[in-house]
Amino acid sequence: MEVIEQISLLRNRLAAYRQEHKQTQIGYVPTMGYLHDGHASLLRRAKEQTGLVVLSIFVNPLQFGPNEDFEKYPRDTERDLQLAEAAGVDIVFLPSVAEMYPKPTQTTVSVKGITSRLCGASRPGHFDGVATVVSKLFNIVQPDKAFFGLKDAQQIAVITQMVEDLNMPVEIVPCPTLREADGLALSSRNVYLSAEERSQAVVLSQSLAAAEAFISEHQHFTSEELVEAVKVHIRKATLGEIDYVEALAFPSLEPFTSIDTVTEKRIIVALAVKFSKARLIDNQIFPIRK
Amino acid sequence: MEVIEQISLLRNRLAAYRQEHKQTQIGYVPTMGYLHDGHASLLRRAKEQTGLVVLSIFVNPLQFGPNEDFEKYPRDTERDLQLAEAAGVDIVFLPSVAEMYPKPTQTTVSVKGITSRLCGASRPGHFDGVATVVSKLFNIVQPDKAFFGLKDAQQIAVITQMVEDLNMPVEIVPCPTLREADGLALSSRNVYLSAEERSQAVVLSQSLAAAEAFISEHQHFTSEELVEAVKVHIRKATLGEIDYVEALAFPSLEPFTSIDTVTEKRIIVALAVKFSKARLIDNQIFPIRK
């Protein structure tokens, strides 16, 4: 496994690889590091589907708000490199902030519509930062396939829309969320939870199970009724505060009133819950019975 | 010469070319058609520097304002194809609006700073439209080099900034403006001029010659003094109305007061003059004596 910190060196390395292996695809997993088994599952999937796997680790300041946790975001490069090597990564791209932003960027990539709801409403500017850095990383790595976890479903929706709108020559591969034994979605931010919060955090996945039960029991329902069925469960976490719970058409992330009016084939129930030092997100995508 | 209308066919054709000619670069000239010798000079330069020359002809609705000339913009595909063939073009990409924008784009690429002055001030949203469509075209063609005329100096500045900020894997090659015998910069919009306007339009290039004389005669001067020296000449065109005349540092397009405070090595004098049916632009870039 190679670790490369400079853009120009990475470009040269990948150009040489493409010259030698004309028929082989390059797979790419962009991350902010502090890797867990969820990331490892993306890397293993990339290894199955492509000939060369590039992992990037970059905590992107552009996607953090002024009062968010950029400085405190957990980092452990040594452990990350061990996990990457075990998962079969070929190249780790580990740029500094100065390497990625030698000067303040004048250019922004914005995706409207999709970004105005869910985390976009709670975190203004966040998805512009995501779309801009992912554009940069795609242009640097030029992968054939990029692998993203469905835990950040809105991020996948934004990236997919951007790739489609801008004709980016990359295939986005959504990958299932990995969970702890009790159902908690794996997240780098889970380390922020106290022991008591950790045990209560199970309400996120339980509330999505409640959504599943609600949907299977009801033929016709409103978005509001579904959201309320979810909120009932989350409120059991006395240490957690609901940031949002929303039911939206997927992948457009358009709101709906009655399920009967949704023209897409799937809906997503997505939620964010704030604990003292961690804001956790989770979601589930459901097919619509017609 | 091949003419390709579909994105997927163009991608396949270029992928096949890359497989066969590993060491050869692809050159690209994006245009809105109604080609003239200025475009031909870009195409010839592309032919000299690269192994395969792609020309695109696409009048991009996104970069026209609601009261601008999108519908009336001059088009003559047959003549364009003749000029392209004569200039040695290998592939003409000729997409429809529906091919480029099957759905309204949710994604916008914006470059701030550079776009707020000159044509950006007169044409709000114009450079977002330019940056967005050029991003799309670059992602479709994936050229090694792209050739732009310096007549649209602000466009080159915007594209260069975007390429740098987003790490796009393409080299931007600025090419000199071509002129008629009397100095008028070649432009597709020159056809809009009446005979009398055409003869008066020579004031644009004459005023830039006046700027050159002014700069060579003065060691120290303000931006305002230089601009006034230019305006004096343009006012000789009784049928033309000054849209803007600006002197800025280049390529940052930052305004300056005294020439002594400019930290860059060059300045640009850029101007736009409105005739009855045509708004013409011109500019010249000058080195700074230190």
Side-chain angles (χ1 to χ4, degrees):
Chain A
M1 189 175 77
E2 289 172 72
V3 179
I4 299 178
E5 296 181 0
Q6 280 181 276
I7 293 167
S8 58
L9 293 180
L10 180 66
R11 279 195 204 279
N12 290 344
R13 176 69 182 83
L14 292 171
Y17 180 85
R18 279 188 201 94
Q19 290 281 28
E20 274 176 49
H21 305 81
K22 288 199 285 189
Q23 306 295 344
T24 315
Q25 292 197 315
I26 293 176
Y28 175 45
V29 180
T31 77
M32 300 210 301
Y34 213 72
L35 304 178
H36 50 63
D37 282 348
H39 298 105
S41 77
L42 302 181
L43 294 167
R44 284 191 298 269
R45 186 165 294 219
K47 194 74 185 173
E48 285 161 24
Q49 295 191 20
T50 63
L52 184 90
V53 176
V54 179
L55 160 73
S56 66
I57 299 175
F58 179 61
V59 185
N60 172 38
L62 220 61
Q63 72 194 65
F64 287 81
N67 297 315
E68 291 184 1
D69 57 351
F70 172 68
E71 294 297 341
K72 289 187 184 156
Y73 194 85
R75 291 160 170 93
D76 188 341
T77 305
E78 204 175 318
R79 203 171 59 102
D80 287 349
L81 295 181
Q82 285 168 13
L83 183 146
E85 183 129 42
V89 168
D90 298 290
I91 298 174
V92 181
F93 178 46
L94 198 69
S96 65
V97 171
E99 181 72 8
M100 287 295 285
Y101 301 108
K103 290 181 277 184
T105 181
Q106 303 291 309
T107 307
T108 306
V109 182
S110 306
V111 183
K112 68 182 179 197
I114 284 178
T115 58
S116 61
R117 288 173 284 274
L118 306 175
C119 291
S122 312
R123 305 181 69 186
H126 170 67
F127 284 112
D128 284 0
V130 170
T132 303
V133 80
V134 171
S135 294
K136 286 167 68 76
L137 291 164
F138 281 177
N139 284 328
I140 293 166
V141 178
Q142 298 179 259
D144 298 285
K145 293 183 176 186
F147 300 79
F148 289 85
L150 273 165
K151 188 177 133 277
D152 292 316
Q154 189 175 14
Q155 176 172 275
I156 291 193
V158 168
I159 301 294
T160 303
Q161 183 73 45
M162 174 183 80
V163 165
E164 186 183 322
D165 282 343
L166 296 184
N167 306 92
M168 291 180 171
V170 57
E171 181 189 340
I172 303 302
V173 184
C175 304
T177 302
L178 252 70
R179 297 178 180 281
E180 303 280 4
D182 68 354
L184 178 66
L186 297 191
S187 164
S188 303
R189 289 186 171 99
N190 289 349
V191 295
Y192 292 142
L193 297 170
S194 71
E196 197 180 353
E197 286 175 333
R198 170 62 191 84
S199 76
Q200 290 197 7
V202 71
V203 295
L204 276 81
S205 60
Q206 283 177 351
S207 73
L208 292 170
E212 185 161 21
F214 180 92
I215 291 168
S216 72
E217 287 159 16
H218 297 77
Q219 182 77 28
H220 307 283
F221 56 87
T222 65
S223 169
E224 204 177 330
E225 288 164 347
L226 174 56
V227 163
E228 191 48 40
V230 170
K231 284 185 171 174
V232 163
H233 279 263
I234 302 178
R235 291 198 191 102
K236 290 176 184 167
T238 51
L239 299 173
E241 184 196 337
I242 294 173
D243 183 15
Y244 64 75
V245 177
E246 292 193 51
L248 301 168
F250 189 85
S252 72
L253 304 187
E254 287 291 337
F256 63 90
T257 45
S258 162
I259 189 71
D260 304 324
T261 62
V262 177
T263 55
E264 285 168 89
K265 291 184 182 130
R266 293 175 292 174
I267 61 169
I268 185 170
V269 176
L271 49 92
V273 178
K274 282 182 181 170
F275 291 92
S276 58
K277 288 180 188 160
R279 177 178 165 286
L280 303 185
I281 59 173
D282 203 349
N283 71 76
Q284 197 166 331
I285 295 162
F286 303 99
I288 299 178
R289 285 167 301 164
K290 293 274 181 183
Chain B
M1 187 177 76
E2 289 174 71
V3 179
I4 299 179
E5 297 182 359
Q6 280 181 276
I7 294 168
S8 57
L9 294 180
L10 180 66
R11 279 196 204 280
N12 291 344
R13 175 70 182 80
L14 292 171
Y17 180 85
R18 279 187 201 93
Q19 291 281 28
E20 275 175 48
H21 305 82
K22 288 197 284 190
Q23 305 297 343
T24 315
Q25 293 198 314
I26 292 176
Y28 175 46
V29 179
T31 77
M32 301 211 299
Y34 213 72
L35 305 179
H36 51 63
D37 283 348
H39 298 105
S41 76
L42 302 181
L43 294 167
R44 285 191 298 267
R45 186 166 292 218
K47 193 73 186 175
E48 285 162 23
Q49 295 191 19
T50 63
L52 185 89
V53 176
V54 180
L55 160 73
S56 66
I57 298 175
F58 179 62
V59 185
N60 172 38
L62 220 61
Q63 72 194 65
F64 286 80
N67 297 315
E68 291 184 0
D69 57 350
F70 172 68
E71 293 297 341
K72 290 188 185 155
Y73 194 84
R75 292 161 170 91
D76 188 342
T77 305
E78 203 175 317
R79 205 171 58 102
D80 287 349
L81 296 181
Q82 286 168 13
L83 183 146
E85 183 129 42
V89 168
D90 297 291
I91 298 174
V92 181
F93 178 46
L94 198 68
S96 65
V97 171
E99 180 72 9
M100 288 295 285
Y101 301 108
K103 290 182 277 185
T105 181
Q106 303 291 308
T107 308
T108 306
V109 182
S110 306
V111 183
K112 68 181 178 197
I114 284 178
T115 58
S116 61
R117 286 173 286 275
L118 306 176
C119 292
S122 312
R123 306 181 68 187
H126 170 67
F127 284 112
D128 285 1
V130 170
T132 303
V133 80
V134 172
S135 294
K136 287 168 69 74
L137 290 164
F138 281 178
N139 284 327
I140 292 166
V141 178
Q142 297 179 259
D144 299 285
K145 292 184 175 186
F147 300 78
F148 289 85
L150 273 166
K151 189 177 131 279
D152 293 315
Q154 189 175 15
Q155 176 173 277
I156 291 193
V158 168
I159 301 294
T160 303
Q161 183 72 47
M162 173 183 83
V163 164
E164 185 183 322
D165 283 342
L166 296 184
N167 307 92
M168 291 181 171
V170 58
E171 180 190 340
I172 303 301
V173 184
C175 304
T177 302
L178 251 68
R179 298 178 180 280
E180 303 281 4
D182 69 353
L184 178 67
L186 297 191
S187 165
S188 303
R189 288 186 171 101
N190 289 350
V191 294
Y192 292 142
L193 297 170
S194 71
E196 199 181 352
E197 287 175 334
R198 171 64 190 83
S199 75
Q200 291 198 6
V202 71
V203 296
L204 276 82
S205 60
Q206 282 177 352
S207 72
L208 293 169
E212 185 161 20
F214 181 93
I215 291 169
S216 72
E217 288 159 15
H218 296 78
Q219 182 78 27
H220 307 284
F221 55 88
T222 65
S223 169
E224 202 176 331
E225 288 163 348
L226 175 56
V227 163
E228 190 49 38
V230 170
K231 284 185 173 174
V232 163
H233 280 263
I234 302 179
R235 290 198 191 101
K236 292 177 184 166
T238 50
L239 299 172
E241 185 195 337
I242 294 174
D243 184 15
Y244 65 75
V245 176
E246 291 193 50
L248 302 168
F250 189 85
S252 72
L253 303 188
E254 288 290 338
F256 63 90
T257 45
S258 162
I259 190 70
D260 304 324
T261 63
V262 177
T263 55
E264 286 168 88
K265 290 184 183 128
R266 291 175 293 173
I267 60 168
I268 184 170
V269 176
L271 49 92
V273 178
K274 281 182 182 169
F275 291 91
S276 58
K277 289 179 185 160
R279 177 178 166 285
L280 303 185
I281 59 173
D282 203 348
N283 71 75
Q284 196 166 331
I285 295 162
F286 302 100
I288 299 179
R289 286 165 302 162
K290 293 274 181 186

